[in-house]
Amino acid sequence: MRKYKLLIIFCCITTIISAQETFPVNGVKDYREDYIAFTHATMVKDSKTTLKDATLIIKQGKIIAVGNNISLPKDAASIDCKGKYIYPSFIDLMSDYGITVAEQPKRTRGFFQAQFVSDTKGAYGWNQAIRPETDASKVFTANETKAKDLRGLGFGLVLSHLQDGIARGTGTLVTLSDEKENFDMVKEKAAAFYSFSKGSSTQDYPTSLMGSIALIRQTYLDAQWYKNKPADEGTNLSLEAWNSNQSLPQIFDAGDKWNVLRAQKIANEFGVQYIIKAGGNEYQRMDEMKATKANFILPLNFPKAIDAEDANAIRLVSLGTMKHWEMAPLEPGVFEKAGLNFALTASGTTGDEFLDNLRKAIDNGLSESKALDALTKTPATLIGVYDTVGSIDVGKLADFLITTGPVFDEKTIFLQNWIKGKKFILSDNGWNDYRGNYKLTIKQNNNNIQYNIAVDGKPGKLSATIQSANDTTKNTLQLSINNNSVNLRWSNKADSSKLNSLSGIISNNVWNGSGYDANGNIVSWNMLVSGPYVEKPDTSKPKKKEIVNSTVLYPFNGYGFSEMPKQQDVLIKNATVWTNEADGILQNTDVLLKNGKISAIGKNLSASNAQQVDGTGEYLTPGIIDEHSHIAVTGSVNECSQSVTAEVRIADVIDPEDIQIYRQLSDGVTAVHILHGSCNTIGGQTQLIKMRWGQDPEQVKFANWDPFIKFALGENVKRSYSPTNNRFPDTRMGVEQVLMDAFTRAEDYQKQGADKRRDLELDALSEILNHKRFITCHSYVQSEINMLMHVADSFHFKVNTFTHILEGYKVADKMKAHGAYASTFSDWWAYKAEVEDAIPYNAALMTDEGLTVAVNSDDPEQARHLNQEAAKSIKYGGLTEEQAFKMCTLNPATMLHIADRVGSIKVGKDADVVLWNNNPLSVYATAQKTFVDGIEYYDRQCDSTVRIYIANERNRLIQKMLAAKKEGAKTQPAVMTFDAEIESEDGQ
């Protein structure tokens, strides 16, 4: 028996020891277990399970029982929750709560003084924006002020991380309690975070979105390579952390519909699955969102109405911006309808905006059950903690809300937020429903004065009237209740300057206390219920259902399509056809477009089911092709941080909604070659697109074309205009050495074994050496043109195209011998020192030498009249009309290696054609219809109709915003919507 007693004592000691904490207690330890039963509640365990008259029992911060007909433990405190609702507390996966951000270093270098590597001290990686070693748990500090605000919105748990940089490190999962940090922290490392923003990094690279993408891709490759501990790298704590973080949920802060696709493309390439934080405009591209099959975090920071009272200011706001204000609240509901999995976040909202916007989303199609899931089960599941939080189930943390009604109802009051079993009061009012009729008795000496009191309003916002028992006059009673303390104040109408003031407590439906009457006499009082509260019928007008034009346009601006145009057979009759082939110009000729191709050319053609277009008196030509463009790019067209950035790709940053696409379609442009800018010697990889207005970034790309890359020579790359430049090179001699060094490194790279570190920059340069990628080079001065051809000959490749090439007439023979093409301006001159020898006869002289010559725009507006730019060589050099027109159609197709598909009207080629009302080289010519792949993407008559629609739609939205402001909606000032135009030969 003594052994058993010893065993019991030992077990008790062990239990006590296991419960001990390392922190000393200054005083007497509190051994209370917070053993509480919540009874008679409407228990919403999760979105699918609601129990009426249910009981919840918690102990030591966890749920130990939940359900109906549960026996109450005799040693548990009991709280009657009759008429109350209990919900799981909300969870936010995109928070910076409690993250202490150290002051970031300021950039001290001057303009054009580059910082090439990270300033971070320690054994970390080379780039300051890649900081996977950042551990939010190491810098987390509880912030009661912010915690209180978040608790008031219903949150009990947040995933916090340092929202700075491209690779942001790990986030920590913490409660919003007021305990010490070690008790708040639920999971030290709960997820790894990424973005496209370099944040506070003072390092130059990357300066562009395409640079950020290249950096992320290269870091994935470097981390894989580092797993083998290469001796050449030494210790790289950043790559070690990157690899370690891959086992965690991966969260990518995309912040925009197109960035969602960019992030998903990276995920697909490297076999990871991102949880993507959206930007609020993804509803505009739901087919693409569904195709990602990603999990999302949706913000509810809907845009405020624009203050439209200033007519001059509002006219500068785009229709797309106005429509987004109206349609943004549709996003969560649209995601639900599409079957996409998502959580919701309060990120980007302030004050009560989150709950207001959440209700707005519910009004616009989001179901309440999905909303609850998105704030509880889904975020918990996404980061693998649903066994701990996210619903009201046995064994989980006691994190729950107590409310007066359904959690998303506008009239519902959030009363308490319990976090790990600890109560946080959100509202003192509303727990008890004090509405009803009462008999107030005021005693002074031996006199009793009685009053009738009616308490109505809402449980959390009471109103009351008081009436003497001997009078029919009702006075307003100021009633204030805090917990069980009560104050009553009123004035009699006979003398409103004097105040009766009573205070007391409420206990078991009996109100009593003391106070002063209007004459200052001390009185005692009590108040008893005399009759139940009778709910008055709601005579207020029902909330007016907001009418939202939910039609999405592709692209999302006034010139978009509500339904994308479809490919169909088109028969163009009796036109003057400029073929660009041996047939020359054909009069009164028919052309049949079928299945996206030119199917037949001839007279008196017929085709059943084909749309017929009368071309009488009009001119049909192949579409215009711009060999050198900088349109349709987002996040900068230049990565200027280094002299060689061959790893960056224009393909990663295509903006298919750039209005320049539509504008250029209206002037017959059907394809453009989008180039990196000219700020460095070896720039980025280019992208050829077709003008498929309304399609997504992948769909506008010209399929199966030979890849190109942009080079540059001259003043831009040596930064002649900056005496403080510290980026090599400073001279034209240095430019040559940059090229020699780059290709020498590429040759050495190709000789390395299979286990080499894969380098995206050297991959691209190797493709040039292997004749799989082709160069288009910004160039002016004959000496540099000769230099680059010499470098190319030394490494056994060719320069495909010299662009601008304003001194091309001086070296045309050498270019012909080298096998290069020339893409030039028609008559640009004298805009900087190195073009002072330019002449308008350049294009004709190079043509006469036997070169294939094109005219290019390098400017979004000039691209709209490349046909007229080409016509200038008829005057300056005597070219024929056909020779001139080929310079903006067939010749650029030839130099882009796509002349077998576009550039002329020939059976079998793509149906990229334009119908003009006049000779296409005339200044009076305007495009009437533009077809790409046989699809009519532009029609001048339809354009006139669209302009009327835009005017009407703008007016509708302006009136709606004016009405919203009048009704008290928060507004934002009207700010001009800019179209980012990247123009001039600098491409900057």
Side-chain angles (χ1 to χ4, degrees):
M1 177 64 99
R2 185 170 180 272
K3 290 182 179 180
Y4 287 123
K5 288 182 178 178
L6 287 173
L7 178 61
I8 293 170
I9 293 170
F10 174 76
C11 290
C12 292
I13 293 172
T14 303
T15 302
I16 293 170
I17 291 173
S18 67
Q20 286 179 336
E21 60 183 45
T22 59
F23 287 83
V25 177
N26 181 24
V28 179
K29 181 174 175 60
D30 185 351
Y31 285 100
R32 287 177 296 180
E33 296 178 325
D34 293 326
Y35 197 5
I36 305 170
F38 301 82
T39 62
H40 307 299
T42 298
M43 194 74 57
V44 184
K45 294 180 62 180
D46 53 48
S47 67
K48 295 181 174 59
T49 310
T50 299
L51 306 177
K52 300 290 186 181
D53 194 23
T55 298
L56 168 68
I57 302 175
I58 66 172
K59 186 176 184 179
Q60 293 182 321
K62 289 195 173 182
I63 298 169
I64 64 170
V66 61
N68 298 110
N69 304 317
I70 295 177
S71 299
L72 300 185
K74 62 181 180 180
D75 50 349
S78 179
I79 298 176
D80 185 358
C81 295
K82 185 177 181 180
K84 309 300 181 297
Y85 287 67
I86 297 180
Y87 288 85
S89 295
F90 301 158
I91 304 168
D92 194 338
L93 298 183
M94 188 59 62
S95 178
D96 62 355
Y97 163 72
I99 302 301
T100 305
V101 182
E103 184 175 352
Q104 299 300 318
K106 305 298 183 193
R107 184 181 176 96
T108 58
R109 296 167 181 83
F111 194 54
F112 286 123
Q113 285 187 303
Q115 177 188 332
F116 296 108
V117 294
S118 173
D119 281 345
T120 303
K121 305 301 181 184
Y124 300 108
W126 74 278
N127 194 280
Q128 206 168 316
I130 300 295
R131 49 185 79 165
E133 67 276 4
T134 300
D135 182 347
S137 68
K138 299 289 195 299
V139 295
F140 171 72
T141 304
N143 182 329
E144 175 56 20
T145 300
K146 191 169 183 181
K148 183 178 180 180
D149 292 340
L150 290 168
R151 289 195 300 262
L153 298 175
F155 290 97
L157 202 66
V158 295
L159 177 54
S160 282
H161 76 283
L162 181 60
Q163 297 181 7
D164 187 23
I166 291 173
R168 297 174 167 182
T170 56
T172 184
L173 186 66
V174 296
T175 72
L176 295 169
S177 186
D178 58 359
E179 303 288 339
K180 283 190 65 63
E181 287 79 3
N182 52 314
F183 294 108
D184 283 343
M185 202 167 290
V186 176
K187 194 170 185 179
E188 179 184 348
K189 292 184 179 182
F193 287 84
Y194 309 85
S195 79
F196 288 130
S197 171
K198 66 188 285 187
S200 62
S201 171
T202 57
Q203 187 174 344
D204 282 55
Y205 189 88
T207 60
S208 64
L209 175 57
M210 59 183 163
S212 295
I213 293 170
L215 180 58
I216 294 170
R217 296 177 64 234
Q218 186 64 63
T219 306
Y220 271 112
L221 294 171
D222 288 348
Q224 291 170 3
W225 167 76
Y226 185 76
K227 288 178 181 179
N228 296 321
K229 298 293 183 182
D232 291 346
E233 183 69 9
T235 297
N236 189 321
L237 298 178
S238 296
L239 293 181
E240 284 185 12
W242 180 287
N243 285 328
S244 176
N245 294 348
Q246 296 308 301
S247 62
L248 300 172
Q250 308 286 296
I251 299 179
F252 202 108
D253 187 352
D256 173 75
K257 62 189 177 190
W258 301 130
N259 280 349
V260 168
L261 303 185
R262 293 176 182 117
Q264 189 58 41
K265 189 175 180 181
I266 294 171
N268 293 341
E269 180 178 3
F270 294 100
V272 298
Q273 182 61 64
Y274 291 134
I275 302 165
I276 298 179
K277 192 254 185 177
N281 61 357
E282 290 72 19
Y283 66 91
Q284 299 166 13
R285 286 286 172 172
M286 286 310 298
D287 286 345
E288 288 84 352
M289 297 304 114
K290 285 191 288 185
T292 67
K293 299 180 180 178
N295 296 299
F296 286 84
I297 301 171
L298 303 184
L300 297 177
N301 55 335
F302 305 147
K304 297 180 180 67
I306 300 167
D307 190 339
E309 290 186 345
D310 186 337
N312 282 327
I314 196 66
R315 69 185 178 85
L316 301 175
V317 178
S318 72
L319 178 60
T321 300
M322 295 186 197
K323 285 185 69 65
H324 180 53
W325 162 73
E326 180 181 45
M327 295 181 66
L330 297 171
E331 173 140 312
V334 171
F335 266 69
E336 179 183 4
K337 186 177 180 180
L340 288 170
N341 193 38
F342 62 89
L344 295 172
T345 176
S347 176
T349 62
T350 58
D352 292 331
E353 280 182 357
F354 173 74
L355 291 176
D356 291 343
N357 288 348
L358 177 57
R359 295 182 185 111
K360 190 179 291 186
I362 291 170
D363 289 342
N364 283 277
L366 175 65
S367 70
E368 293 191 9
S369 61
K370 187 64 176 179
L372 184 60
D373 273 344
L375 288 166
T376 54
K377 179 180 180 180
T378 300
T381 303
L382 288 177
I383 59 172
V385 294
Y386 189 56
D387 60 336
T388 304
V389 292
S391 66
I392 299 177
D393 285 300
V394 173
K396 294 191 176 184
L397 293 182
D399 288 7
F400 54 89
L401 278 170
I402 302 180
T403 70
T404 60
V407 70
F408 302 124
D409 193 308
E410 189 174 5
K411 299 175 182 178
T412 292
I413 300 169
F414 288 11
L415 298 170
Q416 297 173 4
N417 195 343
W418 289 71
I419 298 175
K420 291 181 73 174
K422 184 172 183 178
K423 178 174 70 174
F424 293 90
I425 296 174
L426 307 181
S427 175
D428 292 323
N429 297 326
W431 184 273
N432 295 306
D433 190 350
Y434 293 110
R435 295 177 298 177
N437 297 309
Y438 294 84
K439 184 73 73 177
L440 169 65
T441 302
I442 297 178
K443 300 178 181 179
Q444 183 191 7
N445 297 328
N446 294 322
N447 296 324
N448 292 342
I449 304 173
Q450 292 190 332
Y451 294 88
N452 296 317
I453 291 179
V455 180
D456 54 16
K458 302 299 178 187
K461 191 175 182 181
L462 298 172
S463 59
T465 59
I466 185 169
Q467 177 184 356
S468 173
N470 301 319
D471 194 356
T472 58
T473 303
K474 291 183 179 180
N475 296 304
T476 299
L477 174 68
Q478 297 177 24
L479 176 63
S480 173
I481 300 174
N482 188 352
N483 291 327
N484 65 336
S485 298
V486 61
N487 291 288
L488 298 90
R489 292 180 177 83
W490 76 97
S491 296
N492 297 317
K493 285 189 176 180
D495 190 354
S496 60
S497 64
K498 294 182 178 181
L499 188 69
N500 298 277
S501 179
L502 308 178
S503 61
I505 61 171
I506 304 172
S507 177
N508 296 322
N509 291 326
V510 176
W511 307 36
N512 59 64
S514 60
Y516 297 89
D517 66 11
N519 296 315
N521 299 312
I522 297 175
V523 298
S524 62
W525 64 276
N526 67 66
M527 195 164 86
L528 300 173
V529 176
S530 62
Y533 173 71
V534 178
E535 187 83 41
K536 297 176 183 177
D538 187 358
T539 58
S540 62
K541 294 182 180 179
K543 188 176 180 180
K544 188 176 180 181
K545 176 73 174 175
E546 182 182 358
I547 299 174
V548 175
N549 182 352
S550 59
T551 301
V552 176
L553 300 179
Y554 306 95
F556 197 73
N557 62 47
Y559 292 97
F561 302 107
S562 57
E563 290 186 14
M564 287 300 298
K566 294 182 172 53
Q567 194 175 84
Q568 58 181 325
D569 296 349
V570 179
L571 180 58
I572 301 169
K573 300 283 290 182
N574 202 37
T576 299
V577 180
W578 288 37
T579 66
N580 277 352
E581 293 288 340
D583 292 336
I585 298 174
L586 305 176
Q587 303 293 330
N588 304 319
T589 299
D590 304 342
V591 176
L592 176 63
L593 313 180
K594 188 178 181 65
N595 298 325
K597 300 290 184 181
I598 298 170
S599 177
I601 304 169
K603 296 183 182 296
N604 301 316
L605 297 180
S606 62
S608 59
N609 300 321
Q611 174 194 351
Q612 287 205 14
V613 176
D614 184 5
T616 303
E618 298 188 328
Y619 295 73
L620 187 70
T621 72
I624 290 172
I625 301 170
D626 189 355
E627 186 277 334
H628 186 132
S629 176
H630 298 297
I631 69 165
V633 171
T634 190
S636 182
V637 77
N638 266 309
E639 180 53 61
C640 294
S641 51
Q642 300 169 353
S643 285
V644 180
T645 57
E647 72 279 6
V648 304
R649 308 183 298 193
I650 291 292
D652 291 329
V653 290
I654 296 297
D655 175 12
E657 294 190 320
D658 187 350
I659 192 61
Q660 300 300 338
I661 295 176
Y662 182 78
R663 289 173 180 165
Q664 292 183 22
L665 274 169
S666 74
D667 288 291
V669 181
T670 56
V672 298
H673 187 207
I674 307 173
L675 275 58
H676 184 279
S678 58
C679 68
N680 43 7
T681 305
I682 299 178
Q685 301 167 37
T686 70
Q687 181 62 50
L688 180 65
I689 69 168
K690 284 199 176 189
M691 310 296 256
R692 300 180 181 117
W693 181 239
Q695 301 289 3
D696 69 31
E698 294 302 316
Q699 292 166 333
V700 299
K701 293 176 181 176
F702 200 114
N704 303 317
W705 72 295
D706 290 339
F708 278 65
I709 189 170
K710 172 73 177 296
F711 280 30
L713 307 171
E715 293 179 17
N716 289 13
V717 301
K718 68 186 186 70
R719 293 181 167 178
S720 305
Y721 38 76
S722 175
T724 61
N725 173 50
N726 68 334
R727 189 194 75 180
F728 185 84
D730 269 335
T731 66
R732 296 177 193 268
M733 294 182 293
V735 173
E736 180 177 13
Q737 292 311 304
V738 168
L739 292 165
M740 295 295 293
D741 175 70
F743 286 111
T744 299
R745 288 187 292 113
E747 285 186 333
D748 293 343
Y749 176 72
Q750 293 188 84
K751 296 173 185 175
Q752 296 175 22
D755 60 345
K756 67 185 176 187
R757 170 183 172 268
R758 187 179 165 200
D759 188 308
L760 295 175
E761 174 192 302
L762 295 177
D763 281 350
L765 295 175
S766 295
E767 289 174 343
I768 297 171
L769 293 175
N770 297 328
H771 306 225
K772 294 180 179 178
R773 185 172 295 278
F774 302 90
I775 297 168
T776 180
C777 184
H778 161 113
S779 54
Y780 290 107
V781 179
Q782 63 174 332
S783 59
E784 288 189 313
I785 298 164
N786 285 330
M787 175 272 290
L788 181 56
M789 289 190 288
H790 172 69
V791 171
D793 290 340
S794 300
F795 288 94
H796 310 293
F797 65 85
K798 292 182 179 180
V799 180
N800 188 89
T801 307
F802 284 97
T803 187
H804 306 327
I805 195 70
L806 295 188
E807 292 189 17
Y809 65 94
K810 298 180 181 181
V811 290
D813 54 341
K814 294 182 176 62
M815 291 171 59
K816 182 179 179 181
H818 181 74
Y821 300 113
S823 180
T824 187
F825 296 131
S826 59
D827 57 357
W828 285 26
W829 175 74
Y831 49 92
K832 59 181 179 177
E834 63 184 353
V835 303
E836 60 186 11
D837 279 359
I839 59 174
Y841 294 88
N842 185 43
L845 289 173
M846 290 190 292
T847 299
D848 291 344
E849 186 62 37
L851 290 176
T852 299
V853 180
V855 290
N856 64 64
S857 74
D858 201 7
D859 177 273
E861 185 58 33
Q862 179 150 301
R864 298 181 62 184
H865 47 85
L866 276 180
N867 49 330
Q868 294 152 8
E869 293 296 304
K872 292 176 182 179
S873 291
I874 298 174
K875 176 178 180 179
Y876 299 111
L879 296 186
T880 67
E881 284 189 336
E882 291 182 65
Q883 283 179 310
F885 195 65
K886 284 180 181 179
M887 289 201 297
C888 61
T889 51
L890 185 58
N891 290 1
T894 299
M895 57 188 67
L896 291 168
H897 306 183
I898 53 173
D900 59 330
R901 287 184 279 173
V902 293
S904 65
I905 295 181
K906 181 180 179 181
V907 172
K909 284 195 173 186
D910 292 355
D912 296 0
V913 297
V914 185
L915 192 63
W916 307 84
N917 67 342
N918 209 318
N919 182 311
L921 295 174
S922 168
V923 294
Y924 299 107
T926 56
Q928 303 303 298
K929 293 179 182 290
T930 304
F931 297 86
V932 180
D933 302 316
I935 300 172
E936 184 181 283
Y937 280 100
Y938 177 78
D939 176 85
R940 192 159 294 272
Q941 289 185 348
C942 289
D943 178 84
S944 299
T945 303
V946 166
R947 290 171 188 268
I948 296 172
Y949 158 78
I950 291 173
N952 291 337
E953 185 70 353
R954 285 182 63 87
N955 181 62
R956 181 185 71 82
L957 289 166
I958 288 170
Q959 295 303 318
K960 189 171 183 178
M961 287 186 286
L962 289 170
K965 181 181 180 181
K966 187 176 180 180
E967 293 168 6
K970 294 179 181 179
T971 62
Q972 59 177 317
V975 177
M976 181 186 295
T977 305
F978 286 96
D979 293 326
E981 289 194 4
I982 303 170
E983 56 190 13
S984 86
E985 54 81 32
D986 288 345
Q988 297 184 64

